[in-house]
Amino acid sequence: MTNTTLTTTATRAATDATDIADAAAPATIAVYAAPAPKAPLERGTVPRRPLGANDILIDIKFAGICHSDIHQVGEDWGQGIFPMVPGHEIAGVVAEVGPGVTRWSVGDRVGVGCFVDSCRECDNCRAGLQQYCTSEGGPVFTYNAVGRDGTPTYGGYAKQLVIDADYALRIPDALPLDVAAPLLCAGITLYSPLTHWGAGPGKRVAIVGLGGLGHLGVKIARAKGAEVTVLSQSLRKREDGLKLGAHDYRATSDPATFTELAGRFDLIVNTVSADLDLSGYLGLLRLDGTLVQVGAPEKPVTVNAHALLTGRRSLSGSMIGGLPETQEMLDFCAEHGIGAEIELIPADRINEAYARVLASDVRYRFVIDTATI
Ligand code: NAP
Ligand code: ZN
């Protein structure tokens, strides 16, 4: 492991006359970053933006490793910005507040998810659906993006983060910060479609893939009162799946799964990170059922048109959730005692964790103890 300094040449334009120039504050943040596409992550530093009037400084305590981090370091979705500090499942404590901030105090427990800003003016932002911001460039993602001040954003594999106070979420006291971190992406990514498509009593829901997203989907769908089935590649994790709350657990490698469960589900949420032929899965939906794609593979998913039209079935997609719904999800999880099942790791095991996620060997979310950075 090298100990590189990953400074960038980017400088932050002064966007706000009320920005405080805090000369005493450290100008950099200790991070784990990928210096180049597909490169192993290594210890380094990145610039810390000055605390603006409506900003808060967060001492990050825990950061989840999402499969999206691996997609982006690998440039699966297109060109990345390097050095890249991944991490959009962030849990920490407010360490400093700008003079214009009224909502937060030092010591508050906060979370940050996949975006840190948006236009606030488009219909979707006004509706609290900031993840679907329609302004040019859309929402500002937590990392691998350029902020509205023109500088790169850096994510949660870090000791600290400065963000706009409006884009932080409150982590209820009942949720330990380490198991809460993955809720900020994995949790909301399942909560939102489960809510939108009405998972609840009398509804049969299938979750495809029992990884970081999938295992939280099982817990949340069960807590909402739905009948839950896991569709996993094998029966290897069956016992876990049933303990997490699934009523049934089937292997997609067994062709009998697709005949026995044909026409059964109201809703299927596909969390798989690889490209799948969805036709067989669509056949598991009843009339008017919906398959929601949340997995974001590099290659296109394929669909046989007959699988859609023979049951007036719908194929849809869903991306994380807006700020109000993310807060609702955190409160729901606190009320129902839902946190992620995690393997807490020091930062020098991030690369090993990436390899294990890629091998579907994760039970069920790696979370970095950022004190080790
Ligand atoms: P993960 O922990 O790696 O889980 C993915 C699961 O998919 C694996 O555990 C495995 O489950 C299954 N799987 C993996 N490869 C497979 C293959 N070749 N064939 C069939 N099943 C396979 O990943 P994650 O963090 O949950 O993320 C899952 C996907 O969602 C990623 O593509 C990520 O980028 C995306 N994502 C989307 C959003 C959104 O807003 N839509 C948000 C976050 C993440 P089994 O072992 O049970 O089969
Ligand atoms: Zn994520």
Side-chain angles (χ1 to χ4, degrees):
M1 184 70 54
T2 52
N3 205 352
T4 321
T5 296
L6 299 157
T7 47
T8 68
T9 51
T11 50
R12 181 172 189 246
T15 52
D16 186 340
T18 52
D19 274 4
I20 314 158
D22 184 353
T28 59
I29 297 174
V31 299
Y32 254 71
K38 297 186 172 60
L41 278 77
E42 56 189 41
R43 201 184 299 270
T45 58
V46 293
R48 195 186 91 173
R49 87 171 200 220
L51 192 75
N54 194 42
D55 284 344
I56 55 173
L57 170 68
I58 299 170
D59 277 344
I60 298 175
K61 301 294 182 193
F62 300 100
I65 293 179
C66 178
H67 205 118
S68 301
D69 301 345
I70 303 173
H71 285 306
Q72 291 184 82
V73 168
E75 292 195 323
D76 290 352
W77 300 339
Q79 201 180 350
I81 300 170
F82 293 89
M84 187 187 295
V85 181
H88 56 208
E89 295 187 337
I90 300 168
V93 174
V94 175
E96 223 176 304
V97 300
V101 175
T102 51
R103 196 173 145 220
W104 303 110
S105 307
V106 171
D108 284 349
R109 305 162 88 246
V110 287
V112 179
C114 296
F115 55 88
V116 289
D117 206 351
S118 65
C119 81
R120 305 161 202 236
E121 286 164 4
C122 71
D123 289 348
N124 294 348
C125 279
R126 284 179 191 276
L129 297 165
Q130 295 86 356
Q131 78 276 32
Y132 302 126
C133 173
T134 55
S135 71
E136 197 187 338
V140 177
F141 290 106
T142 305
Y143 68 88
N144 193 23
V146 176
R148 293 203 291 170
D149 62 5
T151 67
T153 55
Y154 299 112
Y157 299 4
K159 292 280 226 194
Q160 293 182 319
L161 181 69
V162 175
I163 66 155
D164 188 302
D166 296 340
Y167 287 75
L169 286 311
R170 188 172 298 280
I171 298 182
D173 288 341
L175 286 174
L177 290 181
D178 53 357
V179 301
L183 299 176
L184 274 303
C185 172
I188 185 60
T189 298
L190 272 291
Y191 183 88
S192 186
L194 289 169
T195 305
H196 186 78
W197 278 278
K203 292 289 170 74
R204 290 173 173 160
V205 173
I207 305 287
V208 190
L210 194 71
L213 268 56
H215 92 286
L216 284 167
V218 171
K219 289 191 182 196
I220 293 167
R222 177 68 191 249
K224 282 179 168 286
E227 184 191 300
V228 187
T229 298
V230 174
L231 301 173
S232 182
Q233 293 167 94
S234 72
L235 295 180
R236 203 162 46 95
K237 297 178 278 190
R238 183 172 182 276
E239 208 175 304
D240 286 357
L242 298 179
K243 268 196 218 142
L244 292 167
H247 298 88
D248 197 2
Y249 196 106
R250 302 295 183 104
T252 52
S253 52
D254 181 356
T257 295
F258 292 91
T259 49
E260 288 171 20
L261 301 183
R264 182 169 179 84
F265 300 106
D266 299 284
L267 175 65
I268 300 176
V269 184
N270 177 23
T271 75
V272 171
S273 47
D275 51 309
L276 287 185
D277 182 349
L278 296 181
S279 312
Y281 295 87
L282 285 165
L284 303 183
L285 290 170
R286 61 192 303 176
L287 180 70
D288 288 331
T290 302
L291 190 158
V292 182
Q293 179 72 28
V294 295
E298 179 181 1
K299 294 193 191 125
V301 293
T302 51
V303 176
N304 179 327
H306 291 270
L308 282 172
L309 58 88
T310 52
R312 201 164 58 188
R313 300 177 176 112
S314 299
L315 173 60
S316 193
S318 183
M319 187 173 82
I320 42 175
L323 293 168
E325 194 177 37
T326 305
Q327 190 60 60
E328 179 187 307
M329 175 276 308
L330 288 167
D331 296 342
F332 176 91
C333 288
E335 188 187 325
H336 292 271
I338 295 174
E341 302 298 310
I342 65 165
E343 189 170 332
L344 193 63
I345 58 163
D348 62 6
R349 285 184 54 208
I350 291 172
N351 296 306
E352 181 196 323
Y354 273 31
R356 284 184 52 197
V357 171
L358 286 169
S360 296
D361 179 23
V362 50
R363 298 194 182 201
Y364 283 87
R365 201 53 141 190
F366 289 106
V367 171
I368 304 160
D369 177 355
T370 57
T372 61
I373 292 176

